[in-house]
Amino acid sequence: MRHTSYTLCALYGLLAIGLFRCAFLSYQAEVWGYTAFFAAASIGAVLAIVHVSWLHDEYRDVLAELDRRQPPIRIVSLQDQKAVDLRADCCELWWTTAGERHDPTTCTRKDQTL
């Protein structure tokens, strides 16, 4: 990431210098529309350099935060998953099929009256 962002900043710098040169030549030729356009584009390229360096800092901060927070690995067994499913008690069909997957559209809830 670091080498890519430095290369991108260098390319933006070259672009800003080239656009500034075009603005200067347009200024010497007294073509004010092109002067304003190239000057604005040059300023935009300089702002892109600032943005890429800000993104690089943000990326570095996020990586540092991820290194600090090593989440514990939690292994969930099939038995634990079945216990969670039992607490949810989906429907009568779920109980009669011993917790196997079934079509929820044919599900009759325990609290549902016919």
Side-chain angles (χ1 to χ4, degrees):
M1 173 68 184
R2 180 178 40 186
H3 298 294
T4 307
S5 63
Y6 290 151
T7 304
L8 190 59
C9 284
L11 290 175
Y12 280 144
L14 290 174
L15 179 66
I17 291 170
L19 288 170
F20 182 75
R21 184 174 186 278
C22 290
F24 184 72
L25 291 176
S26 297
Y27 174 75
Q28 285 182 339
E30 296 182 2
V31 183
W32 306 117
Y34 286 126
T35 302
F37 173 75
F38 286 126
S42 177
I43 291 171
V46 170
L47 290 177
I49 293 171
V50 173
H51 181 70
V52 167
S53 64
W54 176 77
L55 282 177
H56 180 68
D57 291 341
E58 288 293 314
Y59 181 71
R60 186 178 48 220
D61 292 343
V62 167
L63 285 178
E65 180 69 26
L66 286 176
D67 285 342
R68 278 194 297 264
R69 284 192 205 170
Q70 289 297 325
I73 298 172
R74 183 175 173 208
I75 299 173
V76 178
S77 66
L78 184 60
Q79 184 179 8
D80 293 339
Q81 184 61 40
K82 291 293 181 185
V84 169
D85 290 342
L86 278 174
R87 279 186 236 117
D89 59 5
C90 172
C91 65
E92 291 290 338
L93 183 60
W94 189 89
W95 289 100
T96 58
T97 59
E100 293 298 318
R101 295 190 183 272
H102 61 278
D103 186 17
T105 58
T106 62
C107 199
T108 58
R109 295 200 48 90
K110 287 182 172 187
D111 58 352
Q112 182 181 17
T113 58
L114 296 175

